[in-house]
Amino acid sequence: MPHSVAPTLADRLAVVELETVSAAEIATATGLSVSTVRRLSKEPGWPGLVSTAEQREQRFPRKACVQWFRDNQASRIDVTELPGDDSDRVTITEIASRTGLKRGSVSPMPTLYENSADPFPAADALGTYSWGEVKQWLSRRSGRTGPRGTAVAPAPAEVPTAGPTLDVLTAAMIEQLTGRSKEAVKTLVRRPEIAGLSSGKVGRSRVWPAADLLPVLWRLGYLPESGPLSAEQTEVLIELGYLPAAGQEVSVEQEAVLREFGYNPRGTAEQRAWMAGPPRSATELAAYYRVTISAISHRLSRAVAAGGTVPSAIDTENGTQYDPKEFDEFWRRTSGTRTR
């Protein structure tokens, strides 16, 4: 029996008999969550707000939103042009490479179409997908109205010298993210909420799906809610594709995913004001990080004893003080835990 073609998000919204729609109304019509709609509304090209004197809620032109969904969600692709064997197991990154779509556009698809009558193919325990199933899913969606996407054939395959092969975290990567020792991480991953997420082993290394474990690490306080990340944390997130390469701006898609994980890459207004503020005393630093003054002193002493880099002390008439931005980088680097 042929697979019945489910209505697209655009199809569902097109039948709504309203000229303007709110995020909640779009969510009801499409089956998406309100938070997902609000995230999408921040993406490039999303229709502008329609303002009226009577309505205080944000409303968007329905027809323009329908067209946006047609243009941006699972554009039509001729699967006969796509490289690779149907038996291949592929990651989100590889799907993007083979289809010519942006990784940030492919990454949300499993969640975006989770409640659809035709959901995105399921990943295995290692976070990889059947290339044949992905092609069939794209082919089914190709029969619907909307502009045809162009599959860009990738350059001759080269084995990358760096970068992810699977969207998973190893114990070594968890050490980098948390700033904890190998033995401490062994204890950490035995916690029930983390041990239960393990998806097996790649070679001799146990792995965890990055998309599942990262939100847990943020929730447990091993990663900062906002503000700067350590060099080690940044390196891992770049490798996994959640942050751009050095010197590039965080994309809308990456920021949306990070916010869902529990991290605000732009920092709170309070944090930005603190980082740009004047030098701070040990007493002020202790109050900001919600620790004792002795904890500040001990952290500095331990770093000096270990031969590490410590923030420059600034002698003022009010005593020794530190640049808040420089001290914050030191504090996060030496703790690996959320401090604010």
Side-chain angles (χ1 to χ4, degrees):
M1 178 182 294
H3 193 289
S4 59
V5 178
T8 65
L9 301 177
D11 294 337
R12 296 176 183 180
L13 186 58
V15 299
V16 174
E17 296 180 352
L18 292 170
E19 290 299 319
T20 64
V21 284
S22 65
E25 289 165 343
I26 294 173
T28 299
T30 60
L32 301 174
S33 68
V34 175
S35 61
T36 296
V37 174
R38 287 174 178 161
R39 174 174 62 77
L40 293 176
S41 70
K42 294 180 174 60
E43 292 195 7
W46 181 267
L49 291 170
V50 175
S51 58
T52 64
E54 310 81 46
Q55 297 167 331
R56 295 181 180 178
E57 66 181 344
Q58 293 185 336
R59 301 189 70 81
F60 308 94
R62 180 185 56 81
K63 291 183 179 179
C65 291
V66 169
Q67 189 59 50
W68 187 91
F69 277 116
R70 294 202 194 285
D71 292 345
N72 291 274
Q73 303 304 319
S75 298
R76 299 176 63 192
I77 292 174
D78 184 351
V79 298
T80 63
E81 299 176 2
L82 301 180
D85 297 326
D86 287 358
S87 60
D88 291 348
R89 302 299 302 184
V90 292
T91 64
I92 289 293
T93 300
E94 290 166 333
I95 293 171
S97 175
R98 293 187 181 195
T99 59
L101 297 171
K102 292 182 179 179
R103 188 189 189 283
S105 297
V106 178
S107 182
M109 286 183 181
T111 301
L112 194 63
Y113 293 95
E114 183 177 10
N115 297 320
S116 168
D118 185 14
F120 193 82
D124 63 13
L126 296 179
T128 68
Y129 301 82
S130 162
W131 179 230
E133 291 180 1
V134 171
K135 286 171 61 179
Q136 290 171 14
W137 185 82
L138 290 170
S139 180
R140 290 196 295 272
R141 305 196 73 80
S142 295
R144 301 167 191 170
T145 56
R148 185 179 186 81
T150 301
V152 180
E158 295 181 358
V159 177
T161 56
T165 56
L166 295 173
D167 294 327
V168 296
L169 290 169
T170 63
M173 296 167 80
I174 297 173
E175 290 174 31
Q176 287 183 264
L177 287 169
T178 63
R180 301 302 177 93
S181 68
K182 183 178 296 185
E183 293 304 314
V185 167
K186 286 182 180 179
T187 300
L188 170 64
V189 297
R190 293 192 191 105
R191 295 184 62 157
E193 58 267 63
I194 294 179
L197 293 176
S198 176
S199 55
K201 292 185 176 181
V202 175
R204 296 184 177 181
S205 300
R206 185 164 296 281
V207 296
W208 292 259
D212 294 335
L213 182 55
L214 285 172
V216 175
L217 293 179
W218 256 293
R219 186 173 69 247
L220 294 178
Y222 290 99
L223 289 161
E225 288 178 332
S226 58
L229 296 163
S230 70
E232 292 79 9
Q233 291 167 340
T234 300
E235 179 183 347
V236 172
L237 293 174
I238 289 175
E239 183 178 358
L240 292 169
Y242 293 114
L243 283 177
Q248 298 181 13
E249 293 292 326
V250 177
S251 70
V252 173
E253 295 88 350
Q254 288 171 329
E255 182 172 344
V257 172
L258 289 171
R259 286 180 182 274
E260 289 181 0
F261 284 169
Y263 177 65
N264 176 2
R266 300 183 184 279
T268 64
E270 179 186 8
Q271 286 174 323
R272 291 194 295 271
W274 172 268
M275 300 303 168
R280 305 288 184 173
S281 66
T283 301
E284 292 173 308
L285 291 168
Y288 181 76
Y289 293 109
R290 299 176 184 174
V291 297
T292 63
I293 296 177
S294 61
I296 299 289
S297 300
H298 289 161
R299 181 74 64 85
L300 290 166
S301 298
R302 286 198 299 270
V304 170
T309 303
V310 297
S312 304
I314 303 172
D315 294 324
T316 71
E317 58 182 16
N318 295 320
T320 301
Q321 296 185 336
Y322 300 89
D323 176 82
K325 188 174 187 300
E326 183 183 1
F327 193 92
D328 190 73
E329 292 172 354
F330 159 77
W331 187 261
R332 295 184 187 281
R333 183 178 69 250
T334 54
S335 68
T337 59
R338 181 174 59 203
T339 56
R340 187 67 176 166

